Amino acid sequence: MNYKRLVKLSNIIGISSIILLVYWVFIFISITVFGFKVFRENITETFYLSIVGILSLMFGALIINIMFNLTRIAEKPKHDNNIPANTTSKKFGLLFGLSFPLIFALLYGGDYLTSLKKEKVLVASAQSILESNQYKTNKLLDYTFDKKWIFETQETLELYSNIDESFPAISVIVSDTVAGSQVFLGFRRADFIDLNDTIVPKKKSFIEITSKEEREYLQKVFFKNYKEVHFTANDGKYELFYPFAKDGKKVVLHFSEFQRYGKIGS
């Protein structure tokens, strides 16, 4: 049995496993802390389990070294290497250090491309709804806060959601007033309204909870004739505000989707 070759092979496996483990931990921390969504669903799970294989390689290399006392076998001068060991180590260390910014840049770029793709998908979904369901969409513009409009809106949103099982959540946002204050109301598929119920719905139950940025956007749409879409991506949550106006009437279709995969632990 060639112990020298066995020593060299096990050392290569052990060092390679350690390097892979360091890279894996760096990628894990980057994805977890910054919420990058880079991988497809199955690849995410495979990547998560890959640490088991890396640890197995490290453990196997360690056992081989213990069994054959590789430390004593490997302690022989190497005359066949013309490049100084310290020079080789410096070059390797430099390349190893520079690889981390490169990996981070690739993760960031992948997350950015994922967001761009998701935005295109949501915009295409909104356009498809408006084009293929013009009658029902036009009825959304006839907003009056009563049970009939809310019920019909709920049925319209349910129709939209049933078009495709992977269709994102959708709601309709309108501008109204509550107790003399201007607010934005949001109506969703889950807002069940019974036309036979004698209880009158209250506007404050439909107030849309928004961030400062979202309120500023909605104010521009409803009061300043702003027509651009608004897309946000944050830690796997994608939102699209799609304004729709006709004959002076305006509503905003709000699409939201949460992507669990793409990040370790999802």
Side-chain angles (χ1 to χ4, degrees):
M1 182 178 293
N2 192 329
Y3 292 101
K4 183 177 180 179
R5 184 171 298 176
L6 184 60
V7 169
K8 186 176 181 180
L9 178 60
S10 61
N11 283 336
I12 291 175
I13 294 175
I15 294 173
S16 300
S17 300
I18 293 174
I19 294 174
L20 287 174
L21 184 61
V22 172
Y23 280 137
W24 189 94
V25 172
F26 176 76
I27 294 174
F28 173 86
I29 294 175
S30 298
I31 292 177
T32 303
V33 173
F34 294 96
F36 292 146
K37 298 292 182 178
V38 181
F39 305 108
R40 294 181 181 273
E41 185 172 9
N42 293 335
I43 296 179
T44 300
E45 300 304 325
T46 302
F47 182 72
Y48 184 70
L49 294 174
S50 63
I51 191 170
V52 177
I54 295 175
L55 291 176
S56 298
L57 287 174
M58 292 179 61
F59 183 74
L62 177 62
I63 293 298
I64 293 176
N65 274 272
I66 294 175
M67 289 176 58
F68 294 97
N69 196 8
L70 297 183
T71 302
R72 184 170 54 181
I73 297 175
E75 287 178 351
K76 292 183 180 181
K78 298 181 179 180
H79 302 289
D80 56 345
N81 191 356
N82 296 324
I83 302 176
N86 58 344
T87 303
T88 304
S89 299
K90 289 181 180 179
K91 290 182 178 180
F92 176 78
L94 180 62
L95 292 174
F96 184 69
L98 292 176
S99 65
F100 290 98
L102 176 61
I103 292 174
F104 185 85
L106 291 173
L107 292 174
Y108 180 85
D111 179 73
Y112 178 73
L113 292 175
T114 299
S115 298
L116 287 180
K117 181 178 180 181
K118 186 63 65 175
E119 180 179 5
K120 291 180 180 179
V121 170
L122 292 179
V123 170
S125 297
Q127 292 174 342
S128 175
I129 281 180
L130 297 178
E131 293 174 0
S132 60
N133 301 274
Q134 292 184 5
Y135 174 74
K136 287 188 172 295
T137 304
N138 289 337
K139 293 189 70 175
L140 296 178
L141 294 170
D142 298 326
Y143 166 70
T144 53
F145 189 81
D146 55 35
K147 289 193 292 185
K148 180 180 179 182
W149 184 89
I150 298 174
F151 178 79
E152 291 178 349
T153 297
Q154 175 198 351
E155 288 192 323
T156 299
L157 296 180
E158 185 174 5
L159 173 65
Y160 291 164
S161 299
N162 289 337
I163 293 175
D164 190 335
E165 62 180 1
S166 61
F167 197 79
I170 179 175
S171 63
V172 177
I173 299 177
V174 301
S175 175
D176 206 332
T177 58
V178 174
S181 298
Q182 186 274 320
V183 296
F184 298 109
L185 306 182
F187 301 90
R188 296 168 178 77
R189 173 187 177 186
D191 297 329
F192 180 75
I193 293 294
D194 186 356
L195 293 177
N196 298 320
D197 197 341
T198 58
I199 299 177
V200 179
K202 297 181 179 180
K203 285 185 180 180
K204 65 179 182 179
S205 302
F206 296 90
I207 293 178
E208 182 77 4
I209 300 176
T210 56
S211 65
K212 181 176 180 293
E213 180 185 7
E214 291 170 346
R215 287 193 300 274
E216 291 176 349
Y217 168 77
L218 292 173
Q219 287 171 357
K220 288 194 297 182
V221 169
F222 285 103
F223 306 117
K224 297 182 180 180
N225 201 29
Y226 190 71
K227 299 179 180 179
E228 299 298 322
V229 301
H230 177 68
F231 175 79
T232 60
N234 181 29
D235 197 19
K237 184 178 182 181
Y238 304 97
E239 294 184 272
L240 176 71
F241 293 85
Y242 194 98
F244 177 60
K246 188 176 181 180
D247 299 330
K249 302 176 182 178
K250 301 176 183 178
V251 297
V252 174
L253 300 180
H254 177 216
F255 298 83
S256 62
E257 183 176 4
F258 181 70
Q259 179 175 299
R260 293 187 57 82
Y261 61 86
K263 168 175 149 175
I264 304 304
S266 61

